[in-house]
Amino acid sequence: MVGAVPPWPTVPLPRRPLDASDQVRRWYENELAWPTVPGEPVRLSLGVRFDVLDVPAEAGRAALRRLPPGCPVAVRGDRMALLVAAGSAEELPGLLEWLEWGGLPLDLTALGAGATLQAPLPPARSGPRVCAPRAPGAGPGLAADEGARAPRSAPPVPSGPGAASGSPEPGTPALRPTGTSQGAAVWLRPPVPGYEVEASLPSLTALGGREGAIDLARLVETVATQCHRIRLRSACAQPLAFS
């Protein structure tokens, strides 16, 4: 039509910049394909890709010697989250009974289907390094996140009696995460985008199965032993009550 005014082009509204929480959620969902649940802070849905063994950081330290490369581990305050195969949470009570730990109070919990885990910040956003301080008289301290700086390569496997038994070697500093707040979760060994995490997770079928994976029973035995030692040490430290 002569003299008709062409329609005014529609300009899309500018996109809202992603805040830090959106970036964290996208990293987990897009880079790792790990499901999250709605809400703040970002939380990971368990029981889908993996379960979590929640233990004292001191007990989890012994387990680090047994975990294969690529097995993610997170810390939050004085707690450590060891990622294990999905379904392991249901197996834990029977496994503890079989290992003859069932009747003892142990400070370890398995979180599986229906549970969530606070999402640690992606490695590039984790802030200060998480280090283990030096023990009195010990040599140079080892950065606890040393393996996180090169996620595709494994930290050296310790040798000697402590590595074989899962017990800390004499003079090795205790793991005390520093540089983070008590409520913040950080990756000690971060997951690697593009890597199928299930291949490295401890499971009951790992023994004689997947190459490089650790048997869940051995991991639970190691952690349960350390939890029991911590409990005994705490009990011995209590003052005796005399009537």
Side-chain angles (χ1 to χ4, degrees):
M1 180 181 297
V2 179
V5 179
W8 189 262
T10 303
V11 179
L13 295 175
R15 294 182 178 179
R16 179 179 62 89
L18 295 176
D19 57 25
S21 179
D22 291 334
Q23 294 177 23
V24 171
R25 190 179 303 277
R26 283 199 172 191
W27 187 79
Y28 281 103
E29 294 183 348
N30 298 344
E31 299 293 332
L32 299 177
W34 289 7
T36 64
V37 296
E40 302 295 337
V42 180
R43 302 190 69 85
L44 304 176
S45 180
L46 303 181
V48 182
R49 300 289 302 273
F50 54 85
D51 289 354
V52 163
L53 197 61
D54 179 70
V55 302
E58 183 179 348
R61 174 174 170 269
L64 292 179
R65 302 177 180 276
R66 295 185 174 272
L67 293 177
C71 186
V73 177
V75 289
R76 181 182 180 186
D78 59 356
R79 306 295 297 181
M80 184 176 291
L82 307 174
L83 271 62
V84 293
S88 298
E90 299 177 2
E91 304 286 351
L92 182 64
L95 188 55
L96 288 173
E97 288 288 345
W98 182 68
L99 294 171
E100 300 183 351
W101 288 109
L104 296 175
L106 300 173
D107 188 16
L108 65 90
T109 306
L111 306 174
T116 62
L117 175 72
Q118 179 181 335
L121 288 177
R125 304 181 179 89
S126 293
R129 301 183 65 181
V130 181
C131 300
R134 303 177 187 180
L142 174 65
D145 66 345
E146 185 175 350
R149 300 302 172 183
R152 293 190 181 273
S153 61
V157 179
S159 58
S165 63
S167 302
E169 296 181 12
T172 305
L175 177 64
R176 296 294 182 190
T178 59
T180 58
S181 63
Q182 180 71 14
V186 295
W187 285 114
L188 189 64
R189 292 184 182 179
V192 180
Y195 177 76
E196 292 295 330
V197 68
E198 290 88 348
S200 65
L201 297 182
S203 70
L204 285 179
T205 59
L207 189 61
R210 302 190 309 271
E211 182 180 357
I214 181 178
D215 179 34
L216 180 64
R218 294 177 180 175
L219 175 64
V220 171
E221 174 68 20
T222 298
V223 174
T225 300
Q226 296 301 319
C227 286
H228 185 56
R229 289 175 179 174
I230 294 172
R231 177 174 173 271
L232 291 179
R233 187 173 66 237
S234 177
C236 292
Q238 297 296 327
L240 297 177
F242 295 97
S243 56

